[in-house]
Amino acid sequence: MPSLPDAATPDVARLAERAAAAQSHDPHIADVALKPAFFDWLCRMGDNSLILGHRISEWCGHGPVLEEDIALANTALDLIGHTQMWLGLAAEVEGSGRSADDLAFLRDAMKFRNLKLVELPNGDMAVTLMREFLFDAFHYELLTALTKSSSPRVAEIAAKALKEVSYHLERSSDLVVRLGDGTEESHARMQAALNKVWGYTGEMFAADAVDDAVAEAGIAPALADLLPLWQRTVAEVLDEATLSQPEQRFDAQTGGKQGRHTEHLGYILAEMQFLQRAYPGASW
Amino acid sequence: MYAQMVKSEGMKSLEEMSPEERAFQERVDRGEKIEPKEWMPEGYRKTLIRQIGQHAHSEIVGQLPEGNWITRAPTLERKAILLAKVQDEAGHGLYLYSAAETLGVSRDELFEKLHSGAMKYSSIFNYPTLTWADMGAVGWLVDGAAIMNQVPLQRTSYGPYSRAMIRICKEESFHQRQGYAIMMKMAQGTPEQKEMAQDALNRFWYPSLMMFGPSDKDSVHSAQSMAWKIKMNTNDELRQKFVDETVPQAEYLGLTVPDETLKWNEERGHYDFAEPDWAEFFEVIKGNGPCNEERLGARREAWDKGAWFRDGLTAYAEKAAARRAASNVAAE
């Protein structure tokens, strides 16, 4: 007999069952009228984490300094963990037998609901960090509000994710300040990164019928309420970083939440979904 | 493991040693730990820097073959596990560079030697990861081989190295288990998955055996390192132990070890097995392996492209320190 048993699988399955049994009852899950919007909104939450986590994970082993390799992998890992929870709940709400993995690996681009911001290519570390900071500042306010969601399941996930995202925001804002107020080159790179991604940030606050429906049900906050909080954080950090807020529109690029993406998403999915697509039905 | 063919300085008998050297050797013999600020022979220091440095380089270069599959991991759970594992490896690099720093060499100096080719990393990371089953094979075989060497190194004579090894071993055994769990899934999966698993074993078996380095039965370097307790077993002992433990694991998976001569030897109580192709090993060490250029190229590129980032942080830290000093002066 091998000295090395299959440690993980049965235990994990048992633990998952136990955790599922202990979950809070959530009346929203059975609300048929709310279902399409709730499902879509949960996909937005999960897809933002998944696609940003994917992008950040591309840095693995290629970071500018060893501590960053660790921090980047850690951030990506947190985001993939959030994806499991959000898409897991989305699958449960949908109730048609799909799993979180089915949603992640078997939907095509037009069914993905993430912001265009998070699918933008990594560029240099300046773009990666600026993109993350601008998202983190929004993500933090959103999750903070979600901890008071009328959906206990949403509130539980938000509370768990908020612990990690608080750290993400602390790290990304700290680095934006340091690099913005670092050398001439690091300043120029951070400013160029800010100008590049700025037009994608407004989508975070552009509410549509889905956002309105979940806000009305008390599941999520009204996005407009988060905007001043985000603007304050961004203004403070950019100011300390000696960076200038671009004058261009911040909502020039929208549509990701409705499934109209940049060309980049197709390539992300081609890579991410390769095994599930090439070997349908296999178990991994 | 990840430290191969580390040259150590010449070996002396107790009689030939200076009183300091003899007292040092006696401490090592008694099993005492040597700590950074204590006297140590220059050869001990140099050999340890080479060995710990090579191990650290292996950890960070070792991120690359597995990092290659993070964006293609087949499920969210596998993706999370692989990310955690690669992150652990970067963390191991960090402990080890820190341990090396206690011997008076900076991380930047070690990086420079890696990038210039003056220092090596383990030959195993110059092999490509071609299918998802390779994530299983790397965890099972490569981390498995590393553990063979690292478990005894927890008892090594140099305190910081020993303590780093204790932490590393905890994580490595988890890595090996996750690799084996992937292999189990693949070996019990569809015919295509089983084929991938067998192919991964075929490709990684001999490179894994090479990880222990060539036979060092008669090596002066090894004898000195063993006397200093910075090498605890011969390469052949560890290789044999690895084969003995791994063959039943392969059988359990229903996979075939790619060695027709492999046979249990009742008399020795060990498996007889074929040696890897040492000519290939020396070629890989020289830089002619399948992925040497990509691996070292990726590390150099990461370093060079990250220069502005590191410079920016340094400049900010200097400005912040100057601002603090100025405000202290103003306060007085």
Side-chain angles (χ1 to χ4, degrees), chain B residues 31-43:
Chain B
E32 287 177 30
K33 292 278 181 266
I34 308 301
E35 295 300 337
K37 298 220 160 97
E38 294 169 349
W39 186 87
M40 60 186 79
E42 222 21 54

Side-chain angles (χ1 to χ4, degrees), chain B residues 110-134:
Chain B
L110 290 172
F111 273 163
E112 204 170 291
K113 286 186 172 162
L114 169 69
H115 298 153
S116 72
M119 281 182 88
K120 303 289 183 200
Y121 54 90
S122 176
S123 57
I124 192 71
F125 300 117
N126 291 312
Y127 289 87
T129 53
L130 301 177
T131 72
W132 175 252
D134 291 11

Side-chain angles (χ1 to χ4, degrees), chain B residues 282-295:
Chain B
F282 287 110
E283 279 303 306
V284 174
I285 290 280
K286 261 196 276 173
N288 299 325
C291 294
N292 293 60
E293 218 178 305
E294 283 93 332
R295 301 290 188 244

Side-chain angles (χ1 to χ4, degrees), chain A residues 2-4 6 54 60-61 64 66-67 74 77 101 105 178 181-182 189 271-272 276 279 283-284, chain B residues 71-76 78 80 86-87 107 176 180 184-185 193 196 249 252 299 308 310 316 319 323:
Chain A
S3 56
L4 209 159
D6 177 18
H54 180 101
C60 219
L66 192 46
E67 284 80 354
N74 201 46
L77 180 56
D101 281 336
F105 295 96
R178 286 168 188 269
D181 189 19
R189 283 178 183 260
E271 189 172 337
M272 186 174 85
Q276 291 278 0
Y279 302 98
S283 164
W284 304 93
Chain B
T71 55
R72 289 177 290 171
T75 68
L76 294 170
R78 291 285 178 216
V86 177
Q87 186 199 5
R107 201 202 300 177
Q176 195 196 13
Y180 197 71
M184 294 217 4
K185 272 280 184 192
Q193 285 176 304
M196 280 185 239
Q249 293 166 359
Y252 186 77
R299 289 310 310 171
W308 72 268
R310 298 187 300 274
Y316 179 87
K319 282 189 214 177
R323 280 194 287 261

Side-chain angles (χ1 to χ4, degrees), chain A:
Chain A
M1 268 302 288
S3 56
L4 209 159
D6 177 18
T9 322
D11 294 342
V12 167
R14 247 196 319 277
L15 284 173
E17 272 169 32
R18 210 176 300 161
Q23 253 154 8
S24 321
H25 173 69
D26 191 332
H28 295 296
I29 291 177
D31 184 342
V32 178
L34 187 63
K35 184 156 120 174
F38 195 15
F39 172 73
D40 232 44
W41 180 81
L42 287 165
C43 287
R44 290 178 182 183
M45 295 301 295
D47 292 347
N48 280 336
S49 295
L50 176 58
I51 301 302
L52 185 60
H54 180 101
R55 278 300 191 210
I56 294 176
S57 79
E58 291 173 0
W59 275 102
C60 219
H62 304 276
V65 64
L66 192 46
E67 284 80 354
E68 281 305 306
D69 267 330
I70 296 172
L72 288 161
N74 201 46
T75 306
L77 180 56
D78 290 343
L79 290 167
I80 299 305
H82 304 167
T83 306
Q84 289 178 289
M85 297 188 284
W86 290 123
L87 292 186
L89 185 54
E92 205 179 318
V93 166
E94 187 189 40
S96 64
R98 287 203 283 185
S99 65
D101 281 336
D102 292 338
L103 292 174
F105 295 96
L106 298 173
R107 276 179 303 156
D108 202 348
M110 65 181 185
K111 299 287 185 191
F112 265 75
R113 293 289 178 259
N114 58 282
L115 302 161
K116 280 181 172 175
L117 175 70
V118 298
E119 69 201 41
L120 294 179
N122 285 337
D124 59 3
M125 271 295 280
V127 173
T128 296
L129 276 170
M130 190 55 80
R131 181 189 60 195
E132 199 201 317
F133 163 64
L134 295 168
F135 179 76
D136 288 346
F138 158 76
H139 202 193
Y140 175 82
E141 300 298 347
L142 176 59
L143 291 172
T144 302
L146 289 176
T147 58
K148 299 183 193 76
S149 171
S150 66
S151 158
R153 297 286 299 283
V154 167
E156 281 163 13
I157 296 173
K160 187 171 185 310
L162 182 60
K163 285 183 199 150
E164 292 161 345
V165 170
S166 304
Y167 165 74
H168 298 175
L169 177 60
E170 194 183 315
R171 169 179 168 271
S172 64
S173 50
D174 181 59
L175 284 172
V176 166
V177 167
R178 286 168 188 269
L179 293 166
D181 189 19
T183 60
E184 213 170 294
E185 185 183 1
S186 71
H187 176 84
R189 283 178 183 260
M190 294 307 283
Q191 185 66 53
L194 177 60
N195 298 346
K196 192 183 176 75
V197 303
W198 186 250
Y200 291 87
T201 54
E203 189 183 2
M204 298 187 283
F205 306 98
D208 64 3
V210 169
D211 294 308
D212 293 344
V214 290
E216 203 171 306
I219 293 174
L223 292 174
D225 294 347
L226 304 181
L227 182 58
L229 303 172
W230 179 81
Q231 282 170 326
R232 198 179 58 199
T233 306
V234 169
E236 276 173 17
V237 169
L238 294 185
D239 182 53
E240 205 187 334
T242 70
L243 296 170
S244 327
Q245 198 159 302
E247 282 168 18
Q248 79 212 55
R249 282 179 57 179
F250 86 140
D251 57 355
Q253 302 292 337
T254 57
K257 284 156 68 165
Q258 292 82 27
R260 292 190 302 279
H261 291 278
T262 67
E263 289 179 348
H264 306 296
L265 184 66
Y267 291 95
I268 292 178
L269 298 185
E271 189 172 337
M272 186 174 85
Q273 299 181 337
F274 152 66
L275 281 169
Q276 291 278 0
R277 300 285 191 185
Y279 302 98
S283 164
W284 304 93

Side-chain angles (χ1 to χ4, degrees), chain B residues 134-154:
Chain B
D134 291 11
M135 296 303 97
V138 168
W140 171 37
L141 300 172
V142 174
D143 292 319
I147 288 169
M148 289 294 156
N149 193 49
Q150 287 172 357
V151 165
L153 277 176
Q154 295 178 95

